[in-house]
Amino acid sequence: MNHQYQLRTCYVNFAEHLQNSWNVNFMYHDASGMWKEKEWHAFFKEIKAFGYTNFQFWIPPTLAKAGADRDRAIGQLNTMIQYCHSEGLTANPLMAINTIGAEWYFACPNDKTDREKIIEFWTYYANHLKGADIFGIFPGDPGGCNRNGCNHNTFLELAAEITSLLKEKNPDVIIEIGTWGTPFTGWGEDMRHTPNWDGTFAMLVDPAVNNPEVPCHIWNGPPERVAICMKDMLEKLNLFPKDTLFSINSGFNPDCEPIDEYDARPWAKKIAKRFRITSWDYSASEGELICYPHFRVEKFQRKRKMELEAAPYYGAICYTMSPKLNLLTLYTSAQLMINPYQDATELAAEFTKLVFGDETIGKLMKAFEIVPGWGYEGTSYTKETLIFMFEELIERLKAVKGVQSKLPIFPSEEEYRSTLLWHAKNFLEMLGENPNREAIRQSYWDKALSIYDNIPQAVDERSQLSANGYSSIGKTLSDQRTIMI
């Protein structure tokens, strides 16, 4: 059995709703966080050294909408791709198939006017985006449609049409088709039924017009839908070129777990007989809300082993919305794509030994992973143990000031060390008696999210939830064990 993923992808999402000081600001020229050439090269050198072969990036719906922002961004994207290639990586843009604008309008392919809008933005990128090696066509989240008879077949047929459009302009580009969802997020029954829905995200999530018994606007596909969708997909595989990649996880649910009828592994095996398959296990490495140093090494390892034991997977991803913060995650995830049978904790220790000359720092960083969230339930330590771990982590981070890394890393050793120290001190305070949570919330906002003082709030207002969540860490910990927040 080949234990190595050939396509090892570092995926960065720098969309409107995921901006923070440890991410790249790609769109807002009057705000902080835009990376210059030196920073892009430093980042690409880092992930290449860590073991990645491919850089995937989300082109936000804002940049699907015609206008000055899109025209300005295309030049930046092309330059970024050049930097990526110069460091020996392939470049892999990813777009939602029918989502347009900062307001997240879900254009309907079965409406003539909306369909023209969809084809317009895909044609624009086919004509103007230069050098993409792989182009991902994503079903939704955000995106999808259940208006005018739209369902999973609508997505597959539209994806085939867009594949032809992209290949016509660039015959060498490889297309990756995503199955994310239950499967195919937002298409047909996966999407909540909103009476007289106008296609806007705002109406889709408005509690005044939606059934409260269906709490989420997506992830609603019933179990019997899985077989229907996948049988239809197998019948439509001949619509796609032989070099197409198909992204399919172990499970058709948000955590990508193979549970009951949502077990995707049998379908992965069937697709793999005809095409190369990849996984897009988004939540295994990070999640989307609170920015803090992650340690999901064991989970990432478990998922990679599960995939390779189920089907001949060609590729996998490590996702981040905080590439300047979660370096331990980026390193260990790449190494586990090369060999998922390594000792996960020792890999973390290896990383901080290389960066700081102290392997214990890597092991102690597991204390950070007490925040339950999408794809993770949180570790189970006593409060006393956590306090001890953070106290030791703080002392060790202080002691390694000035140490030079043996790995190329981005940001600098000192910026990375001081950021870890800042988080460790905050976590320790929040585990103590009577922490000043308002002050911590403001400090987190100033440190991580102050870009939103100068740019529009995203349509889902996620930054406020992030600040609230960070300042609530440890609030419900008992003296015996962690309790889900």
Side-chain angles (χ1 to χ4, degrees):
M1 181 186 293
N2 183 2
H3 297 314
Q4 184 174 115
Y5 290 84
Q6 299 302 305
L7 185 69
R8 300 185 292 276
T9 297
C10 174
Y11 169 46
V12 177
N13 190 331
F14 42 71
E16 310 93 328
H17 62 303
L18 300 179
Q19 286 295 298
N20 63 82
S21 62
W22 301 294
N23 204 350
V24 57
N25 162 22
F26 199 84
M27 296 183 291
Y28 304 103
H29 287 253
D30 296 326
S32 61
M34 298 201 88
W35 292 1
K36 297 179 181 177
E37 180 177 357
K38 181 180 178 181
E39 292 165 305
W40 279 114
H41 278 291
F43 172 65
F44 289 138
K45 283 180 188 295
E46 171 194 70
I47 62 173
K48 176 71 173 178
F50 285 3
Y52 292 99
T53 63
N54 183 48
F55 173 60
Q56 185 177 80
F57 54 95
W58 180 257
I59 300 180
T62 293
L63 301 181
K65 194 169 188 175
D69 287 342
R70 188 175 74 175
D71 292 338
R72 180 168 55 181
I74 196 69
Q76 294 173 258
L77 289 168
N78 286 333
T79 300
M80 181 189 71
I81 289 172
Q82 290 176 5
Y83 298 155
C84 178
H85 285 161
S86 73
E87 300 297 343
L89 297 160
T90 51
N92 179 184
L94 176 70
M95 293 188 77
I97 194 168
N98 71 320
T99 315
I100 302 173
E103 67 279 9
W104 293 357
Y105 177 70
F106 298 5
C108 175
N110 287 335
D111 176 270
K112 183 176 182 296
T113 301
D114 274 8
R115 187 179 187 85
E116 289 172 354
K117 293 176 182 177
I118 295 169
I119 299 303
E120 187 280 331
F121 79 75
W122 281 105
T123 302
Y124 179 89
Y125 281 98
N127 286 332
H128 297 288
L129 191 66
K130 307 297 182 184
D133 302 285
I134 303 169
F135 212 129
I137 301 176
F138 202 66
D141 195 8
C145 188
N146 59 6
R147 295 181 288 157
N148 302 311
C150 284
N151 63 13
H152 60 280
N153 284 314
T154 313
F155 165 74
L156 289 166
E157 290 160 8
L158 180 61
E161 180 180 349
I162 291 168
T163 295
S164 296
L165 189 158
L166 292 170
K167 295 283 275 186
E168 179 184 349
K169 300 295 182 180
N170 180 4
D172 294 330
V173 72
I174 294 170
I175 306 302
E176 183 178 40
I177 305 298
T179 63
W180 179 254
T182 61
F184 308 117
T185 300
W187 292 92
E189 290 181 280
D190 183 89
M191 182 87 79
R192 172 168 58 193
H193 174 69
T194 298
N196 302 310
W197 182 40
D198 61 5
T200 63
F201 179 78
M203 186 175 179
L204 188 62
V205 298
D206 185 352
V209 295
N210 282 291
N211 182 354
E213 295 180 5
V214 184
C216 188
H217 63 288
I218 52 176
W219 301 105
N220 297 305
E224 60 272 16
R225 178 176 173 272
V226 171
I228 295 170
C229 287
M230 296 314 294
K231 286 177 181 177
D232 287 346
M233 181 177 182
L234 289 172
E235 290 180 0
K236 288 181 168 57
L237 288 179
N238 60 358
L239 297 176
F240 297 91
K242 292 296 184 183
D243 62 355
T244 304
L245 302 173
F246 286 91
S247 174
I248 179 167
N249 296 314
S250 300
F252 293 125
N253 50 56
D255 294 339
C256 309
E257 295 288 354
I259 300 170
D260 301 328
E261 290 92 341
Y262 294 100
D263 187 345
R265 292 173 297 179
W267 302 105
K269 289 180 184 178
K270 291 180 180 181
I271 296 171
K273 291 178 180 179
R274 297 171 60 185
F275 290 88
R276 292 176 297 177
I277 61 171
T278 61
S279 66
W280 203 82
D281 195 346
Y282 189 71
S283 65
S285 54
E286 192 161 325
E288 273 199 350
L289 190 57
I290 306 170
C291 289
Y292 63 95
H294 283 283
F295 192 105
R296 296 187 181 180
V297 189
E298 293 102 332
K299 176 174 182 176
F300 195 90
Q301 179 185 47
R302 177 177 65 81
K303 299 304 285 292
R304 300 294 77 79
K305 288 165 68 175
M306 180 192 302
E307 288 169 356
L308 289 177
E309 289 164 6
Y313 273 87
Y314 174 71
I317 69 163
C318 173
Y319 148 78
T320 183
M321 60 177 281
S322 51
K324 293 176 67 178
L325 171 62
N326 276 296
L327 278 63
L328 180 143
T329 297
L330 289 174
Y331 177 81
T332 55
S333 297
Q335 291 299 306
L336 288 168
M337 291 182 207
I338 294 171
N339 178 11
Y341 293 91
Q342 301 178 73
D343 185 288
T345 302
E346 289 304 317
L347 264 181
E350 174 183 285
F351 173 71
T352 58
K353 177 74 172 176
L354 288 166
V355 173
F356 296 125
D358 185 338
E359 62 186 18
T360 304
I361 288 174
K363 295 177 180 179
L364 290 171
M365 283 177 65
K366 191 172 184 178
F368 282 118
E369 203 62 84
I370 60 172
V371 184
W374 181 18
Y376 206 81
E377 293 184 356
T379 53
S380 186
Y381 289 117
T382 65
K383 184 183 286 190
E384 181 181 31
T385 299
L386 286 168
I387 289 171
F388 172 81
M389 291 174 74
F390 278 116
E391 287 176 341
E392 184 175 358
L393 179 59
I394 287 168
E395 291 308 309
R396 287 182 175 273
L397 285 168
K398 289 178 179 178
V400 298
K401 184 174 183 178
V403 173
Q404 290 195 335
S405 174
K406 294 180 180 179
L407 276 174
I409 64 167
F410 173 69
S412 68
E413 296 92 335
E414 178 52 26
E415 183 177 341
Y416 180 46
R417 183 198 70 87
S418 62
T419 299
L420 293 178
L421 183 59
W422 181 81
H423 280 287
K425 288 178 176 179
N426 283 343
F427 273 61
L428 181 60
E429 180 180 349
M430 288 187 285
L431 289 168
E433 298 296 325
N434 301 314
N436 186 342
R437 295 190 181 277
E438 270 305 309
I440 291 170
R441 186 190 191 282
Q442 188 60 52
S443 175
Y444 176 74
W445 183 272
D446 293 341
K447 180 87 168 175
L449 301 171
S450 58
I451 187 172
Y452 286 104
D453 293 333
N454 300 299
I455 67 173
Q457 277 289 334
V459 67
D460 62 358
E461 299 183 356
R462 197 168 301 202
S463 61
Q464 298 294 338
L465 295 174
S466 176
N468 293 340
Y470 188 88
S471 60
S472 297
I473 289 170
K475 209 172 192 178
T476 56
L477 292 183
S478 71
D479 290 333
Q480 287 75 45
R481 64 180 300 277
T482 60
I483 305 297
M484 290 190 70
I485 297 172

